[in-house]
Amino acid sequence: MKCIPAIILLAGIWFLPSSPRWLLMQGRDADAFEVIKKLNESERSDVEKIVREQFRTMQLQINYEKDNVKSLNQIPASPSTRKRLLLVVLVQVFAQLSGINVINCTTVPFHKFTITVNEKL
């Protein structure tokens, strides 16, 4: 029963369009433009303008990343980024250490273990 969502996801993944950012990074600009166009299909009159703006924004962002981000080592370079990274890692570590997976992944009916108070006390 628990594998049904995974099977649906596995079957549905073949119908998803390719990522326009990935297509742009591979030099497949025409394919990326078509995917953006397909994702923005509507009856609005300015759809073509919106598609061109999104396409150009993605191109600019990818070009910026190519020119300015040399490696993953640059990500924790600034103190504010290191602080955020540390907080994210600690939240995940403490979530795992708290034993939340025992509650999330178990099928034990906890309602059977509730304590009732006798009103005659």
Side-chain angles (χ1 to χ4, degrees):
M1 192 68 158
K2 290 183 181 182
C3 67
I4 291 174
I7 292 170
I8 293 171
L9 180 64
L10 184 63
I13 203 164
W14 300 107
F15 299 102
L16 291 174
S18 298
S19 165
R21 281 183 52 86
W22 183 83
L23 290 169
L24 282 171
M25 288 188 288
Q26 303 304 314
R28 296 170 53 188
D29 294 4
D31 293 335
F33 189 83
E34 289 302 315
V35 169
I36 296 170
K37 192 174 180 180
K38 184 178 179 182
L39 291 172
N40 286 291
E41 285 180 347
S42 77
E43 300 193 13
R44 293 177 52 175
S45 59
D46 61 344
V47 170
E48 190 71 26
K49 179 183 175 192
I50 293 170
V51 169
R52 275 188 264 121
E53 284 178 22
Q54 287 182 356
F55 181 76
R56 184 69 185 137
T57 302
M58 284 184 197
Q59 281 183 321
L60 290 171
Q61 181 66 33
I62 289 169
N63 290 337
Y64 174 81
E65 290 170 2
K66 283 180 183 177
D67 295 339
N68 296 309
V69 179
K70 304 298 182 207
S71 71
L72 291 176
N73 294 337
Q74 287 184 335
I75 292 173
S78 69
S80 64
T81 308
R82 279 194 303 270
K83 182 179 177 181
R84 290 184 189 117
L85 182 62
L86 179 66
L87 287 172
V88 168
V89 169
L90 287 176
V91 165
Q92 291 301 314
V93 166
F94 287 122
Q96 293 299 315
L97 292 176
S98 70
I100 195 66
N101 283 340
V102 173
I103 295 170
N104 287 339
C105 299
T106 187
T107 57
V108 175
F110 285 105
H111 67 276
K112 290 183 180 179
F113 298 110
T114 59
I115 300 172
T116 57
V117 177
N118 191 346
E119 292 182 16
K120 294 183 181 180
L121 290 176

